[in-house]
């Protein structure tokens, strides 16, 4: 059997969009004449791409995670206060931030699966709780400072043969993306998508639907913590660092052709959706469009992407209603034997 | 021209292609008032498309439609409705929280002094219900309080209220319980007596013989034959539909040497829905489980599989008592369940053939992933799935091929006990035959098969023994090849049963 690349249904458009945006950048911005420009773009996009990967797990299994933006803010604020400029505290604070993300994901997942509250509501509630807690804790202005060691992941770069200086965040992103893609090819990943498609079928096939859902929320929380670490380094400490990131991540996932409600879409395409979004904002910036328009643009994108997906599936269905069929394994033989 | 109200409709040489794929290739059909005309054919033969052409949903590419001898062309379903043609679709289109009368006149309520004239709406609906002899339905009742069969009556009244004289019915019994089917028969006969022309599309051979006056058979979009029902036998019909002689219907039964140990045993098992079950199924054996809808047949399947577990008695697999309280436990013990609703809980429709085939293995088992790659084609080969490739999403497959994928997903974990609930519901004759052969083949390889089916010929043809349920308990056991009458007698709880 010869291997050929196979795209999950609905993922082709985002790759085209991304390519067009990259070409647009090459034309519009002199910085994009060489690889370093694109590396810088990737570095900027890395936190959102990681959030989109986390959001993908939740959306493809049939839920939403609205808490990730607040979780990012919480992660940065907590880290700044606990480290308070001390290098020696860096390592355990990083572990603590990751643990906090995991814990928030666990709570989101347990409330969703055990108390049967829709994830939209659970994570909206979590968003408000985290927002309130951060405000209470910081009084509106975060205290403390991050250490240089902490900020290295978001800001620093490492020498890689051939490529030269590659940002840490890009390496972390690549590692996560590869791991996520491999996970989604494996049995657990496929079962996760199947849960988003038909929960009853998975349950009656002996699958543990609740555990799979829980796993998606935990991964989303964990990856939000990773994004917090990168963003803290990249953008510094503020109580607004994660504002609106949950919707940006959802937009990215939808732009990547992942079906809202679950059951279809690829994690690589979701990450490509996040990169496209970042590339689009960069391009608009280069063209002199006001940054204030970003959220409006994002709003239009999410509506258009979902409309395209619903329209698209109708069109696709009509195209495939009477496909030429063939036997998968061998030529069809008459049933009379 | 605006056509008058139809009393007869003639379709001649209808052709229709979608994106270059011909679906109808010259179909003739004549409907007369006071006649039930059945259309039969395998899935994909073009029945639904023909129905939609008649209803004005699709415009034919070629051929003519004549209403009372005058040629017409329908640009939309509204045109067809004006000509007196209405279709009762499989999915009902009623609003559950409105009254019967409001549903019947939905969107065209009679108006009096700028207000909806409720009194007239109710009176007109009652008049139509009386005309049909359906006095049991009150026009003021909420639709949500009606049974499925009664809702169907409301659908028909809705059609009649637009002065429909030609009714197309698409698999009208698919959603009905067994005892409701009789009511539908009566209704269809009454419609016929009152001069309505009925186009009856169904898979179920017996219904077609019970009800229809004429039968048209389609195959691959072509007109095969049209003959008065009395001149056709079921063998003729099958031959016309599949285009070949199927000869005998069912694979050979097990011989004593085929039977092995008792794989599944229930000893005094019961729960809220069933009681005192003593059942043994041996390796190599297909045991049929008969009974009317609601008799507890499916409840047995669900209990064995741990969906609604037994609360009393013992369940033994290969002689060892087991507590099966959830499907996962059942799967790990080697019990498989093919549910009656393959789209609802059998398949993940947007996933590929491959992913569905591996669903059980991935969801319930561990450490088997490495073996997964190579044997999917082999499995699909065993169940003879026809698809564009193993990466095609299963929702694009025909019902028969979908059911084969369901079987493949269970074959992938090599079950010891296979429970199948309505394994051939809604699939065409060819696929049915294939499913029967797969089941028998599994039995020969040592699987214990417990088979539930509402289709008595199938149940009797396939089973090595038949257990009959009535009212949540076993009413008796019959040997292979028992008569339908004997099964029905036990199923209805009478000494002398009637064959529905």
């Amino acid at each position: 059997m010869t291997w050929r690349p196979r795209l999950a249904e609905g993922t082709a458009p985002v790759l085209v969009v991304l390519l067009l945006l990259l070409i647009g950048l090459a034309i519009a911005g002199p910085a994009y004449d060489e690889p370093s420009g694109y590396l810088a773009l990737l570095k900027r996009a890395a936190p959102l791409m990681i959030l989109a990967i986390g959001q993908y797990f939740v959306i493809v299994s049939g839920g939403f995670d609205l808490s990730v933006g607040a979780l990012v803010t919480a992660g940065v604020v907590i880290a700044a206060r606990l480290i308070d400029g001390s290098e020696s505290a860096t390592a355990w604070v990083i572990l603590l931030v990751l643990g906090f993300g995991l814990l928030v994901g666990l709570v989101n997942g347990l409330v969703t699966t055990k108390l049967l509250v829709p994830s939209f509501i659970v994570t909206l509630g979590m968003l408000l709780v985290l927002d309130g807690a951060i405000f209470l804790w910081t009084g509106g202005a975060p205290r403390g400072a991050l250490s240089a060691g902490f900020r290295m992941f978001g800001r620093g770069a490492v020498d890689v043969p051939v490529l030269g200086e590659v940002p840490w965040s890009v390496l972390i992103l690549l590692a996560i993306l590869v791991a996520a893609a491999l996970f989604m090819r494996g049995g657990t990943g496929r079962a996760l998508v199947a849960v988003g498609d038909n929960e009853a079928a998975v349950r009656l096939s002996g699958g543990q639907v609740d555990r799979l859902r829980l796993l998606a929320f935990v991964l989303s929380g964990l990856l939000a913590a990773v994004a917090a670490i990168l963003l803290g380094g990249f953008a510094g400490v503020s109580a607004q660092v994660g504002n609106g990131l949950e919707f940006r991540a959802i937009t990215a996932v939808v732009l990547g052709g992942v079906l809202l409600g679950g059951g279809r879409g690829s994690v690589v395409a979701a990450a490509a959706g996040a990169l496209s979004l970042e590339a689009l904002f960069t391009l608009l910036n280069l063209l002199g469009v006001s940054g204030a328009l970003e959220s409006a643009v994002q709003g239009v994108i999410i509506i258009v992407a979902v409309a395209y997906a619903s329209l698209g599936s109708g069109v696709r269905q009509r195209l495939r209603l009477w496909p030429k069929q063939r036997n998968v394994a061998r030529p069809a033989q008459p049933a009379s034997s | 021209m605006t056509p008058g109200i139809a009393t007869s409709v003639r379709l001649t040489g209808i052709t229709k292609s979608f994106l270059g794929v011909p679906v109808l290739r010259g179909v003739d059909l004549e409907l007369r008032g006071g006649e039930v005309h059945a259309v039969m054919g395998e899935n994909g033969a073009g029945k639904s498309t023909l129905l939609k052409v008649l209803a004005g949903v699709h415009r034919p590419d070629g051929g003519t439609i004549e209403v009372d001898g005058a040629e017409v062309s329908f640009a939309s379903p509204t045109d067809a409705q004006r000509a007196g043609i209405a279709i009762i679709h499989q999915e009902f289109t009623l609003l559950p929280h409105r009254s019967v009368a409001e549903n019947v006149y939905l969107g065209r309520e009679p108006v009096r002094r700028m207000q909806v004239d409720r009194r007239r709406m109710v009176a007109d609906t009652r008049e139509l219900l009386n005309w049909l002899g359906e006095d049991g339905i009150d026009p003021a009742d909420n639709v949500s309080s009606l049974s499925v069969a009664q809702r169907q009556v409301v659908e028909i009244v809705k059609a009649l209220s637009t002065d429909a004289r030609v009714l197309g019915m698409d698999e009208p019994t698919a959603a009905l319980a067994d005892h409701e089917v009789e009511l539908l028969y009566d209704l269809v006969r009454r419609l016929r007596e009152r001069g309505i022309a009925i186009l009856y599309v169904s898979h179920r051979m017996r219904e077609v013989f019970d009800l229809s006056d004429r039968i048209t058979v389609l195959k691959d979009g072509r007109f095969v034959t049209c003959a008065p029902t009395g001149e056709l036998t079921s063998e003729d019909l099958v031959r016309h539909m599949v285009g070949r002689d199927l000869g005998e219907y069912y694979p050979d039964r097990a011989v004593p040497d085929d039977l092995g140990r008792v794989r599944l045993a229930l000893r005094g098992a019961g729960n809220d829905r069933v009681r005192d079950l003593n059942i043994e199924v041996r390796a190599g054996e297909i045991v049929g489980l008969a009974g009317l809808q609601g008799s507890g047949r499916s409840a047995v399947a669900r209990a064995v599989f741990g969906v609604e577990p037994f609360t009393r008695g013992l369940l033994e697999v290969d002689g060892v008592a087991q507590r099966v309280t959830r499907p996962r436990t059942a799967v790990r013990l080697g019990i498989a369940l093919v549910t009656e609703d393959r789209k609802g809980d059998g398949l993940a429709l947007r996933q590929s053939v491959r992913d569905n085939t591996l669903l059980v293995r991935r969801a319930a088992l561990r450490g088997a992933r490495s073996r997964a790659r190579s044997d999917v084609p082999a499995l699909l080969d065993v169940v003879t799935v026809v698809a564009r490739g193993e990466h095609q999403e299963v929702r694009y497959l025909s019902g028969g091929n979908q059911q084969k994928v369901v079987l493949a997903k269970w074959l992938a974990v090599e079950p010891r006990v296979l429970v199948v609930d309505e394994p051939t519901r809604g699939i065409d004759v060819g696929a049915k035959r294939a499913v029967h052969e797969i089941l028998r083949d599994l039995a020969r390889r040592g699987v214990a098969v417990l088979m539930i089916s509402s289709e008595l010929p199938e149940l009797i043809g396939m089973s090595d023994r038949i257990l009959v349920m009535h009212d949540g308990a076993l009413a008796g056991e019959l040997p292979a090849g028992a008569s339908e009458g004997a099964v029905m007698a036990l199923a209805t709880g009478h000494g002398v049963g009637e064959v529905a």
Side-chain angles (χ1 to χ4, degrees), chain A residues 138-156:
Chain A
T138 61
R143 274 166 285 170
L146 296 170
S147 63
F150 190 98
R151 300 201 66 172
M152 174 191 76
F153 294 108
R155 284 205 300 199

Side-chain angles (χ1 to χ4, degrees), chain A residues 310-332:
Chain A
S310 11
L311 266 182
S313 80
V315 172
R316 278 195 296 271
Q317 203 166 358
R318 253 172 279 154
L319 282 171
R320 291 196 182 186
L321 210 48
W322 293 277
K324 283 213 181 325
Q325 307 240 311
R326 67 182 172 82
N327 194 301
V328 174
R330 65 179 174 200

Side-chain angles (χ1 to χ4, degrees), chain A residues 8-33:
Chain A
E9 204 167 330
T11 53
V14 71
L15 299 180
V16 175
V17 168
L18 182 58
L19 193 69
L20 291 177
L21 285 168
L22 293 180
I23 293 171
L25 279 177
I27 295 168
Y32 296 94
D33 286 347

Side-chain angles (χ1 to χ4, degrees), chain B residues 30 34 58 68 108 139 197 200 252 254 274 353-354 370 393:
Chain B
E30 194 197 11
H58 294 321
D68 292 339
R108 41 192 188 84
Y200 194 94
D252 293 338
V274 292
V353 171
R354 177 187 173 79
S370 51
E393 293 184 12

